[in-house]
Amino acid sequence: MKAELRANTSSISLQNPSLFNTGQSSIPGALRGCLGSLDGACIEKLLLHCASALESNDVTLAQQVMWVLNNVASPVGDPNQRLTSSFLRALISRASKVCPTTLSNFNGSSTNHRRLMSVTELAGYVDLIPWHRFGFCASNSAILKAIQGYSKVHILDFSITHCMQWPTLIDALAKRPEGSPSLRITVPYSRPPVPPLLNVSTEEVGLRLGNFAKFRDVPFEFKVIDDSSSAGDIVMSKLESSSSFHFESLLSHLSTPSILNLREDEALVINCQNWLRYLYDDEGRGINAQDASLRDAFLHLIKGLNPCIMIVVDEDSDLSASSLTSRIATCFNYLWIPFDALETFLPKESRQRLDYEADVGHKIENIISFEGFQRIERSESGSKLSQRMKNAGFFSLPFCEETVKEVRSLLDEHASGWGMKREEEMLALTWKGHNSVFATAWVPNGLED
């Protein structure tokens, strides 16, 4: 089903059948067929059985299934085993909330460690696979086209990658035949508590960008919207709370022009890179009662700012389902991609690979182990996002041939399995033909001409 990841893994030996006071004889017949050699399809079947058991509070059956999974999971094995290891940790985390005293014998029951990177480490993280660079490249090319003829540009940047996108754009602006425009970048202080995490403040990032822009002779300003209840660096104690986004406060600030300091002679650019999915999307969570969700409220406010372009880049997977089994099926058939891609060029015990996979594991744990406001990974597919944008009053801008060429050139720097599709209203990054990340460009209706 999914290229090499659907190939059989090595045979497993079911060690220590008394580990969880269960044995092969007590495992339901539907699961006994999965004992022996586990391939990706069988692992998925086991995960879904476990999810169903957890949803029905059948802890005994969940333990039995996790016992089987525990014997194939390995954080340093093949891609199937590494992916299973991440799912097992997430399932144990969820099960421990239901019955915390019965799961002490399982390996990997602790949550994933969230590490802080240096700027240099972050650059290596972004360059490892084109998961982020694809969006940077497509976005920057579209932005450059949209701001042609402007001498002043203001970017409102909503991203999880700490402005890593902008050195390349600054360099391109410095080479503009008509001369570089002045550039302002405004970022929110609040950030989803997800990897990658940086060990310097947003203000320090702005200073470094300013130094680079000065070196390239690009007039530059950087501003942080302090939408939090308290100023200061992001610290680990704050990251433990999924309610630390302060998005409602940010949306309030976006509706206050004086805070954004918008100027009529500037080209306004809205950049959303792997960010929109962290806006809660349940009804009744908007600023006003009539707003269906924070996500729709955000788009409504952005439309009112009349940007010359809005870029939305995100993961092309629908993980918004309330059903645990649905989320596990979607997640398993999507997040095999980074595990499989890293296998092609990094050794099994590579520290860089283990760290990257741990960050993917953090995402898997949030998708599986948490519900309500604590479950913040709620991505939607590119097609659903496109419909949302149209409903909000935006018109799609097609990516030009120059952008397509630049993205293809970028992908040539990575493994041969990476590719690109041109689909209706979006570009899609693919791994072995399967969509992973989409990039879209939009303008408010009436500005498309």
Side-chain angles (χ1 to χ4, degrees), residues 81-381:
Q81 294 170 314
R82 299 165 89 102
L83 181 63
T84 303
S85 181
S86 288
F87 272 87
L88 180 59
R89 281 194 297 270
L91 287 167
I92 293 170
S93 175
R94 183 173 182 113
S96 68
K97 296 177 175 65
V98 178
C99 193
T101 62
T102 63
L103 297 162
S104 58
N105 288 324
F106 279 103
N107 294 323
S109 60
S110 61
T111 58
N112 290 293
H113 173 65
R114 285 176 268 188
R115 62 199 171 94
L116 296 174
M117 301 182 196
S118 68
V119 173
T120 301
E121 288 171 331
L122 178 61
Y125 178 96
V126 167
D127 287 343
L128 197 59
I129 58 176
W131 205 267
H132 295 290
R133 292 186 71 202
F134 163 80
F136 295 171
C137 183
S139 301
N140 285 347
S141 181
I143 290 170
L144 283 170
K145 181 180 179 183
I147 63 174
Q148 284 179 357
Y150 284 92
S151 61
K152 298 179 181 179
V153 178
H154 184 191
I155 298 175
L156 290 182
D157 182 31
F158 305 97
S159 171
I160 65 170
T161 49
H162 309 279
C163 297
M164 287 298 295
Q165 176 178 350
W166 304 127
T168 302
L169 180 70
I170 290 171
D171 189 61
L173 292 176
K175 298 173 182 176
R176 241 181 29 165
E178 66 270 34
S180 171
S182 64
L183 175 63
R184 283 203 301 146
I185 295 180
T186 299
V187 301
Y189 171 76
S190 286
R191 179 190 180 280
V194 297
L197 304 174
L198 200 58
N199 65 359
V200 300
S201 68
T202 304
E203 290 81 3
E204 173 64 22
V205 171
L207 288 174
R208 296 185 184 214
L209 275 178
N211 289 336
F212 180 73
K214 184 177 180 180
F215 173 73
R216 299 297 286 126
D217 293 324
V218 175
F220 183 78
E221 294 179 49
F222 187 85
K223 179 181 179 181
V224 180
I225 302 175
D226 186 4
D227 52 295
S228 66
S229 57
S230 61
D233 295 347
I234 293 178
V235 294
M236 293 309 293
S237 60
K238 179 180 176 183
L239 291 173
E240 295 304 317
S241 171
S242 63
S243 63
S244 62
F245 303 149
H246 305 289
F247 278 153
E248 291 93 336
S249 177
L250 172 62
L251 296 184
S252 177
H253 288 332
L254 288 177
S255 63
T256 308
S258 61
I259 293 178
L260 297 178
N261 192 22
L262 301 180
R263 302 166 188 171
E264 292 184 359
D265 59 345
E266 290 179 325
L268 178 62
V269 173
I270 308 297
N271 185 66
C272 289
Q273 297 275 335
N274 295 287
W275 190 86
L276 197 57
R277 69 176 179 268
Y278 295 110
L279 286 174
Y280 205 75
D281 193 37
D282 282 7
E283 292 187 3
R285 289 291 298 166
I287 294 176
N288 303 309
Q290 67 267 26
D291 291 325
S293 68
L294 288 179
R295 207 170 296 184
D296 289 332
F298 173 77
L299 295 178
H300 175 75
L301 288 173
I302 293 301
K303 183 176 183 291
L305 300 179
N306 287 320
C308 70
I309 189 171
M310 179 177 183
I311 302 292
V312 180
V313 175
D314 221 316
E315 297 177 350
D316 197 8
S317 179
D318 190 350
L319 292 169
S320 60
S322 59
S323 163
L324 177 62
T325 52
S326 295
R327 293 204 305 273
I328 282 183
T330 301
C331 187
F332 185 78
N333 285 285
Y334 176 66
L335 287 177
W336 67 276
I337 293 175
F339 286 88
D340 195 43
L342 292 170
E343 172 79 1
T344 64
F345 68 99
L346 286 178
K348 293 187 183 300
E349 297 189 6
S350 160
R351 184 74 258 168
Q352 195 175 24
R353 178 177 177 181
L354 290 169
D355 285 343
Y356 198 102
E357 289 173 342
D359 287 347
V360 180
H362 176 272
K363 184 193 304 288
I364 292 172
E365 182 174 349
N366 185 262
I367 292 167
I368 293 174
S369 181
F370 295 96
E371 296 293 349
F373 292 118
Q374 289 185 311
R375 179 163 62 83
I376 61 175
E377 292 288 347
R378 296 169 179 266
S379 62
E380 58 187 348
S381 65

Side-chain angles (χ1 to χ4, degrees), residues 423-436:
E423 299 186 351
E424 186 178 2
E425 299 167 341
M426 71 180 190
L427 295 181
L429 174 69
T430 64
W431 173 252
K432 297 180 178 178
H434 301 278
N435 285 20
S436 58

Side-chain angles (χ1 to χ4, degrees), residues 1-2 130 134-135 138 314 316 333-334 336-337 382-383 386 397-401 403-405 407-409 411 416-441:
M1 291 162 54
K2 291 287 193 262
F134 163 80
D314 221 316
D316 197 8
N333 285 285
Y334 176 66
W336 67 276
I337 293 175
S383 59
S386 293
L397 285 179
F399 290 96
C400 66
E401 287 299 325
T403 297
V404 172
K405 290 179 182 178
V407 173
R408 292 194 190 282
S409 178
L411 297 182
S416 58
W418 294 105
M420 183 189 66
K421 292 178 183 176
R422 296 188 73 171
E423 299 186 351
E424 186 178 2
E425 299 167 341
M426 71 180 190
L427 295 181
L429 174 69
T430 64
W431 173 252
K432 297 180 178 178
H434 301 278
N435 285 20
S436 58
V437 178
F438 69 82
T440 57

